[in-house]
Each structure stands twice: as C-alpha cells, then as structure tokens.
Amino acid sequence: MAAVATNKVEQSYGETNDDQKNIFDLGAFVGDLTIEEDVSSDDISLEGLQQELEECKNDDVVANILSKGAKLREYTKGVENNLRQVELDSIQDYIHESDNLVSLHDQIRECDSILSQMETLLSGFQAEIGSISSDIKILQENSMDMGLKLKNRKVAESKLAKFVEDIIVPPRMVDIIVDGEVNDEFLRTLEILSKKLKFVEVDPMVKASKALKDVQPELEKLRQKAVSKTFDFVVQKLYALRKPKTNIQILQQSVLLKYKYIISFLKEHGSEVYTEVRGAYIDTMNKVLSAHFRAYILALEKLQLDIATYSDLIGVETRSTGLFLRGREPLKNRSAVYALGERIKILKEIDEPALIPHIAEASSSKYPYEVLFRSFHKLLMDTATSEYHFCDDFFGEESIFYEIFAGPFAVIDEHFNSILPNCYDAIGLMLMIRIIHQHQLTMSRRRIPCLDLYLDKVNISLWPRFKMVFDMHLNSLRNANVKTLWEDDVHPHYVMRRYAEFTASLIRLNVEYGDGQPDLNLERLRMAVDDLLIKLAKVFPKTKLQIVFLINNYDMTISVLKEASPDGGKIQMHFEELLKSNTALFVEELLLEHFSDIIKFVKTRASEDPTSSSEKPIAVGEVEPLVKDFASRWKGAIELMHKDVITSFSSLLCGMEILRAALTQLLLYYTRLSDCIKRIVGGSALNKDLVSISSIMYEIKKYSRTF
C-alpha cells in the first residue's frame, strides 16, 4: 500500500498546473508552505537507526529512491508539495458539497428532535412497564397464597370428610343390621360397621372429639345387635350339622364358608360370643364325627374275616388247631395265615375310596382286617383333611381341629385297642404297618400335619404287637413237639411250608422298605426251623430217608422264597447251600445202594499203581467180578434209581437234577474203574466185558430227554 501511494505521488510530481487555471487557488489564501530545516538535528538521537535501515533495505520505494540517486531533501520537498495539492483538492471538494452538508445538518437536527420525542415516549413506557411488573409480582404472591390456602382447605376437607364418613352412622346401615336378613349385603354392612368401631377405638384424636359422644352410644347398640344377630344365625347353621344324613363337607363349603366374615367380626368385636360359637362348633362336630366313625366301624366289623387265632402258629400241630372251631371259615383262608397271596393288593389300592359297608354287606363279602383298617383310616384322612382346611379358613385356628377330633380319635382308639390284643395275624399286622407308612406319605404330600401324632401312635402300637406274634411263631418252633409233628412221609412237612410262606411274605413286605428289624427276626426264625427240621429228619430210621426228607423241604422252601425275591437273599442262599450238600449225600447213598462194590473198590484200590511192588497188587481176578456184575445189571440199576428218585422227591425238577447228578457221579466212578483196568497186567482181557463210556453217556442223555 505504501508503494502504491508513493507511485501516485511520483506520477503527480512534475505535472503541469494547466488544469488548475480554472480552479480556486488556495495558495493565494495560505501562501507558500516552506519546511524549515531543523537546526537542532544534532540533538536527534540516532539510536536504532541501524536497525531501521536494515528493515528498509528491502523496501521497493526506498530502493527506487536510492537507485535514482536523488537527494532526499528534494524528494521530500516534492512529496510535501503533492500532499499540499491533495489537501487543497480535498478542501475544494468540501466547498462544492457545502450545500449538501448544510442540508444534511438540518436533517440530522430534525432526526435528533424526533429521537428526543421518542426517548420521552419510551421513558414513559418504561415507567408504566415497571409499574405493571410490580403489579404482576403482587398478583403472583397473592395467587401463591390463595393456592396454599386452597390446598390446606382441601386437605382439611378430605380429613374432615373421612372423619365424618367414618364416624357417622347412616340410617341405611341401622336398618340392615337391625331389620335386614343375614345375606351378602348384611356382610358388607358388617364390614363397614367393623371399620367404624376400629376407627373410634384406635385413633386417640377421635376419642377426644365431641362428635364421638353423640355417635358412640349408637355404635355400641349396633355392635351388640350385630353380635347377637350373627350368633343366632351361626348357631342355627351349626345345628343343621346335627341333622341325620347331612353331608357335612357340602354344608361347610357351600354355606358356612360364605359367612366366615361373621366369625372374624365376632373375634374382633364380640370375643365372648365368639368363644361360645367356637365351643358350639367344637361340641357339634365332635359329637357328629364321633357318631359317624362309631357307626362306620361297627358296620365294618360285620365284614371282618378272621384269619388267625392264638393257636395258628408255624410250629403248632395241625390236628391241635381245632378244626371244628373254624366251622364257619372256608378252608382256603387257612393258607392266608402264613402266605401273603392276594392280600398284598391292599398296598396297591392304598388310595382307593373307603369301603361302603352296606354295599359290601349286600354282596356278602368278607375282608381281612387290614382291608377294614385301610378303609376307616382312609375315611379318617379324608375327613381330617377337609376339617383341617375348614377350621383354618373359617376360624383361622388350626388348634380347633385337635379339640374336634378328640372324640373321633377316642372312638378309633377304643375300637383298635379291642382288636389289637386279639390279633394273631402277623402278616396282617405287617400289612397294617405298611398301610400306616403309606398314609403318612399321603398326608405329607397333602401338607397336612394334623394326623402326624395319631399315625405315629398307631405305628408305635403295631410294632410291639407284631414282635409279640412273631415271637409266638418263633417259640412254637423252638418248643415244638417232634413226636406229634413227625409224619412218616418224606415229602415237604407242613411246618416247613408254613415257615417258607411266612418268611416269603415278610420278605415281600420288606423289599421296598429295608427295615432291619424284620431281617433280624427272620434270621432267628430260620435258625429255629433249621433245628426243628433236623430233629424231624432224625426220626426217620434210614439215612437215605432223612436226606430225602431234608432235600424235599429245602427245595420247597427255596421255590417259595424265589417267588418273593427272585434275586435271592441270605436266607435263600443258606437253604441253597444246604440243598447242595444234602444232594451230594443222597447221590452217594443212592449209588452205594446199587453199585457199592464198584464204589468201594474205586475209593480204596483204584488210585494204586498195579505195577508197584506192593504186598497185594491188583489182579484181574479181583476186578473181573465187578466188571461182569456192572455189565449185567447197570441199565436195570439206573432204571431203579430213576423210579426211586421219581417216587422220593416231590419236585420233578429237583428229582431229575438229582438223578442227573447221580448218573454223572456213576460215570466218574466207572471211568476211574476203566482207567484202573487198563493199568492192570492182563487187564485187556476184560475189555469185552467193559461197558463203553459212550453207552453210559447215551443212557444219561436219554433220561435227560425224558425229563
């Protein structure tokens, strides 16, 4: 920009003033402008000059001036003249525009006057707005005060309205409670009355209010009337429970539970009357349920089938049990004393409905006592469950149940205490123990604890009785009279069959429970029956008959035990070992009966070496009679063995297993005899009389096929 200004000055420098002839000459007025030299230049400080020269060294104007070689003073004078000329031109322009400036000045003065008026007007507006703002602030404060007063009045109104609503006694309420029937509307009104009574009793401010003095007598009269009326109503409904053939559960659920709020009202506002109602219900239900259970048990007693008496014990002789004493009892029921049979079905029917006595009596059906036991306990559980829930819902007290059922429990205890001392049915007692266990599980699933103590008591009373009856069976075996029990028959003894069925029954009843006590008792019983069986076997004169008797009894026992527990147990394994050892003894006895010479020779001489230098070596003449005798009658002897086995053993399967074992042992003896003959000097002469092993094997297979 400095360069441009300098160029303009240079362009105007030296120009002629021809064009200025007709222009106003300002110089005539101001004279020549001269620049005087500063005589005091010596006093000027040259400090910083070098730095400024360095800065201007690259400036185009300075460089141009220095290049032309012009003197600085002349150049300065020329610039000053140009500036004076420009100034004069500018003044001339202002003179030409003087009229416009005057006009502009007038306009500015007019605008200033108008703006002054507007300022006055706006100042007035500002004063008025300030006044309005203060008014608005006052109105806002008044509005807030009015809002707070309104809020306080609403709160006061709501509290006062609630107070009035809670304390007043509407005429409609009085009419319903005094003259209305006990229905849903009465119950709703009773709830409102209860709230009013609680309101005046709880709030101390209400007690101090004057309004309460006017209302409280009326509320008390209404309370007394409501208590009296509800008491009469409830007692009337309770008396309906005493009517014969009344379905108590339906009446409780459909009628009484609808009015359970009456009980809550009496409990809160009429405690004395509530106690009377509670006592009336307990007395009513106690008598009603006691009568029902007494009638039901008496009806069930007519259906009872006696299974066992005190003389029905394992070790008691059949002839001494008094068959004529059982004239009314079918003989088929005698087996139920020891065998479980179909009686176990009761555990699968544990949740079936209780027996209906008149239907069972009409069909002339009789049942073991455990069926009746399950039936009245099923009825007890269902009744107790229903009553327990009702007492909890209607009265809100579980303790009422125990007061109500004191009567029914006494009736059942009286019956059970008369039955239990005369019960000698060990199987039935164990079934009842299992039934009680199942009933305990049922009540646990229902989450009803009201029968826990009763069921525990029954269970505790059953176990000692079972132990006593079991000990009677055990002592009957220990004290059995062998002479009266013995029969000249090698087939299974009835005492052993009783034992097997009795043991199998208890094992079946203990499979899913795993009680240790029955297992210990059964072990004691097994030891007793083992001793008795040995004593009975020894009465037989011949060893073979003794062994046959034992085998038949062991085999029968194992068969019965397998039905109860196919996997076997310690008792079954014990008898299997006895059967195995006695089978080996019988095989030896049977073979000695028909082939005693061969067996004696094989056992004493067959192991000797014929070539040894013994005092008495085995000679052909010693063996030849044995070989010829065997060849002449071995088939007949086997046939006799077969007949003997068939007639001796009750079980065909057991007999054929024994015969097969005997023939196998015979084959072993004969094989040893043949091997001995081959080692004898000159023994080859007997080859023509020897029976081939294949022939004996053929006979063994033939009898196996026959089986």
Side-chain angles (χ1 to χ4, degrees):
M1 293 297 292
V4 173
T6 306
N7 290 333
K8 288 182 178 180
V9 173
E10 289 177 350
Q11 289 175 1
S12 60
Y13 182 76
E15 289 182 356
T16 60
N17 293 329
D18 295 338
D19 297 333
Q20 299 179 358
K21 291 180 179 180
N22 296 324
I23 300 174
F24 175 74
D25 188 5
L26 187 59
F29 294 95
V30 299
D32 293 333
L33 295 176
T34 58
I35 299 175
E36 296 181 356
E37 295 180 357
D38 190 359
V39 293
S40 60
S41 59
D42 295 336
D43 297 333
I44 295 174
S45 176
L46 299 179
E47 183 180 357
L49 178 61
Q50 185 63 34
Q51 182 179 355
E52 291 180 2
L53 290 176
E54 289 295 331
E55 292 176 357
C56 295
K57 183 170 62 176
N58 296 326
D59 186 87
D60 294 337
V61 176
V62 175
N64 188 25
I65 295 172
L66 294 176
S67 62
K68 291 180 179 181
K71 291 182 179 181
L72 185 58
R73 189 174 298 275
E74 293 179 357
Y75 183 79
T76 301
K77 187 176 180 179
V79 170
E80 289 177 351
N81 290 331
N82 290 337
L83 288 174
R84 186 180 60 179
Q85 186 61 42
V86 170
E87 180 183 2
L88 293 175
D89 292 340
S90 176
I91 292 172
Q92 190 65 38
D93 290 338
Y94 276 106
I95 292 172
H96 283 300
E97 296 295 333
S98 59
D99 294 336
N100 293 334
L101 291 174
V102 172
S103 175
L104 179 61
H105 178 70
D106 293 339
Q107 291 177 1
I108 289 173
R109 290 184 64 185
E110 291 176 0
C111 288
D112 185 60
S113 175
I114 294 171
L115 290 174
S116 177
Q117 295 176 3
M118 290 184 66
E119 181 182 7
T120 303
L121 182 61
L122 290 175
S123 297
F125 285 162
Q126 184 177 8
E128 292 179 2
I129 290 173
S131 176
I132 292 173
S133 175
S134 63
D135 293 342
I136 290 174
K137 186 175 181 181
I138 293 171
L139 290 174
Q140 185 177 8
E141 292 175 354
N142 293 337
S143 176
M144 291 178 66
D145 292 340
M146 293 176 65
L148 182 61
K149 292 178 181 179
L150 178 62
K151 182 179 179 181
N152 292 336
R153 288 178 182 178
K154 285 183 177 180
V155 172
E157 181 185 7
S158 63
K159 291 184 177 181
L160 183 60
K162 187 177 186 306
F163 173 79
V164 172
E165 182 182 356
D166 290 339
I167 203 170
I168 63 170
V169 181
R172 177 64 178 166
M173 176 190 292
V174 177
D175 293 340
I176 292 174
I177 291 178
V178 174
D179 300 323
E181 296 181 357
V182 179
N183 50 25
D184 293 341
E185 186 179 16
F186 181 87
L187 293 178
R188 289 193 295 270
T189 306
L190 207 61
E191 290 185 30
I192 296 173
L193 176 60
S194 177
K195 291 179 181 178
K196 293 182 181 297
L197 292 172
K198 291 178 183 177
F199 178 71
V200 300
E201 291 173 0
V202 174
D203 196 335
M205 295 182 63
V206 176
K207 291 182 179 180
S209 65
K210 294 182 179 181
L212 180 61
K213 296 179 181 179
D214 297 334
V215 177
Q216 192 168 18
E218 299 301 324
L219 283 175
E220 180 61 22
K221 291 178 183 179
L222 279 179
R223 184 193 69 80
Q224 294 177 359
K225 180 62 179 177
V227 168
S228 174
K229 193 169 185 177
T230 53
F231 173 75
D232 294 338
F233 176 81
V234 173
V235 170
Q236 180 184 2
K237 296 299 180 183
L238 295 183
Y239 282 143
L241 295 171
R242 301 186 178 185
K243 294 181 180 179
K245 299 181 180 180
T246 299
N247 192 318
I248 296 175
Q249 280 80 15
I250 291 179
L251 185 61
Q252 288 174 336
Q253 298 297 322
S254 61
V255 178
L256 292 179
L257 279 180
K258 288 173 57 179
Y259 302 101
K260 68 178 182 179
Y261 182 74
I262 291 177
I263 301 300
S264 300
F265 180 83
L266 292 177
K267 190 183 293 187
E268 293 176 350
H269 306 293
S271 56
E272 295 180 359
V273 176
Y274 168 75
T275 303
E276 293 183 25
V277 171
R278 183 179 184 275
Y281 180 79
I282 291 172
D283 181 64
T284 298
M285 291 304 297
N286 188 311
K287 292 178 179 178
V288 169
L289 293 179
S290 297
H292 283 185
F293 275 99
R294 183 175 288 106
Y296 185 72
I297 289 173
L298 289 174
L300 288 181
E301 287 178 350
K302 298 177 182 178
L303 306 176
Q304 183 175 346
L305 175 65
D306 293 329
I307 298 296
T309 63
Y310 67 93
S311 60
D312 288 315
L313 302 173
I314 297 175
V316 175
E317 183 188 359
T318 304
R319 290 186 294 273
S320 67
T321 57
L323 182 60
F324 295 104
L325 297 176
R326 296 176 175 270
R328 300 181 189 177
E329 182 182 339
L331 292 177
K332 64 179 182 179
N333 293 331
R334 296 295 302 279
S335 63
V337 178
Y338 313 104
L340 185 59
E342 298 296 319
R343 296 173 72 181
I344 197 172
K345 286 184 178 179
I346 193 68
L347 297 180
K348 298 179 181 178
E349 300 169 355
I350 198 74
D351 293 324
E352 292 294 318
L355 286 176
I356 301 176
H358 68 271
I359 295 178
E361 190 173 359
S363 61
S364 301
S365 299
K366 296 288 185 180
Y367 303 96
Y369 182 71
E370 68 267 10
V371 176
L372 311 182
F373 180 84
R374 183 209 71 87
S375 189
F376 72 73
H377 275 91
K378 171 66 174 173
L379 180 63
L380 174 65
M381 288 196 303
D382 293 343
T383 306
T385 300
S386 175
E387 190 63 30
Y388 182 83
H389 283 306
F390 176 78
C391 290
D392 190 29
D393 291 343
F394 194 65
F395 290 98
E397 295 184 41
E398 298 177 359
S399 59
I400 292 180
F401 170 87
Y402 299 99
E403 298 180 51
I404 292 171
F405 267 76
F409 285 155
V411 171
I412 296 173
D413 288 344
E414 179 184 357
H415 160 76
F416 195 58
N417 291 335
S418 66
I419 292 292
L420 194 60
N422 299 314
C423 181
Y424 297 92
D425 181 11
I427 303 300
L429 288 168
M430 182 55 70
L431 281 170
M432 285 188 275
I433 290 172
R434 299 313 180 204
I435 288 170
I436 286 294
H437 178 74
Q438 293 294 330
H439 284 168
Q440 288 175 323
L441 294 178
T442 299
M443 296 303 288
S444 177
R445 288 193 295 270
R446 293 181 182 180
R447 301 179 184 276
I448 304 295
C450 58
L451 293 182
D452 289 353
L453 294 177
Y454 169 78
L455 294 176
D456 287 341
K457 183 181 72 173
V458 174
N459 191 46
I460 290 173
S461 63
L462 284 171
W463 273 109
R465 183 64 189 179
F466 170 79
K467 180 66 166 53
M468 191 199 79
V469 175
F470 187 91
D471 287 344
M472 290 175 65
H473 285 286
L474 179 62
N475 292 329
S476 72
L477 292 174
R478 290 175 175 175
N479 304 325
N481 189 333
V482 177
K483 292 182 179 180
T484 58
L485 288 177
W486 184 81
E487 296 177 350
D488 191 11
D489 186 0
V490 295
H491 290 88
H493 198 277
Y494 61 85
V495 170
M496 199 63 183
R497 179 168 292 278
R498 289 175 184 173
Y499 163 78
E501 291 175 345
F502 184 76
T503 301
S505 300
L506 293 182
I507 289 174
R508 269 186 89 182
L509 290 175
N510 199 41
V511 168
E512 297 180 3
Y513 301 91
D515 287 340
Q517 190 62 38
D519 292 338
L520 294 175
N521 290 331
L522 288 175
E523 184 63 22
R524 295 163 58 210
L525 194 68
R526 180 199 60 76
M527 295 170 65
V529 83
D530 274 349
D531 293 340
L532 178 61
L533 195 62
I534 295 298
K535 292 177 182 178
L536 290 172
K538 288 180 179 180
V539 180
F540 288 95
K542 295 181 180 181
T543 304
K544 178 182 175 184
L545 293 178
Q546 295 176 6
I547 297 172
V548 170
F549 175 75
L550 291 174
I551 289 175
N552 278 328
N553 282 281
Y554 293 150
D555 179 67
M556 179 273 301
T557 303
I558 292 169
S559 299
V560 174
L561 293 177
K562 281 183 177 179
E563 294 179 4
S565 179
D567 297 337
K570 290 195 298 184
I571 296 177
Q572 181 179 324
M573 292 171 61
H574 169 77
F575 285 110
E576 286 174 349
E577 289 295 326
L578 292 177
L579 177 62
K580 183 178 179 181
S581 61
N582 280 275
T583 298
L585 293 175
F586 177 79
V587 167
E588 289 297 320
E589 288 291 329
L590 185 64
L591 292 177
L592 283 172
E593 185 177 339
H594 296 281
F595 305 100
S596 58
D597 294 337
I598 292 178
I599 294 172
K600 182 179 179 182
F601 175 81
V602 169
K603 288 184 176 181
T604 58
R605 305 296 304 276
S607 59
E608 296 180 6
D609 187 1
T611 61
S612 65
S613 58
S614 59
E615 296 179 358
K616 190 179 179 181
I618 301 173
V620 174
E622 184 181 355
V623 179
E624 184 177 4
L626 299 177
V627 174
K628 289 183 177 181
D629 178 66
F630 182 84
S632 63
R633 65 181 186 86
W634 71 279
K635 288 186 179 181
I638 290 177
E639 181 62 28
L640 290 175
M641 291 168 59
H642 176 257
K643 291 180 180 180
D644 191 2
V645 168
I646 292 298
T647 56
S648 297
F649 297 103
S650 304
S651 171
L652 180 62
L653 178 62
C654 178
M656 295 311 296
E657 286 291 336
I658 292 173
L659 178 61
R660 187 182 296 111
L663 294 177
T664 303
Q665 187 64 32
L666 175 63
L667 180 62
L668 291 175
Y669 282 137
Y670 194 73
T671 301
R672 291 178 63 186
L673 177 64
S674 300
D675 293 340
C676 180
I677 291 172
K678 292 177 182 179
R679 297 195 302 271
I680 297 174
V681 178
S684 59
L686 299 176
N687 287 342
K688 64 181 185 301
D689 296 322
L690 284 174
V691 179
S692 64
I693 300 299
S694 59
S695 298
I696 299 175
M697 289 292 295
Y698 175 77
E699 288 297 317
I700 294 175
K701 292 180 180 179
K702 183 176 72 172
Y703 282 103
S704 298
R705 287 196 298 270
T706 302
F707 165 70

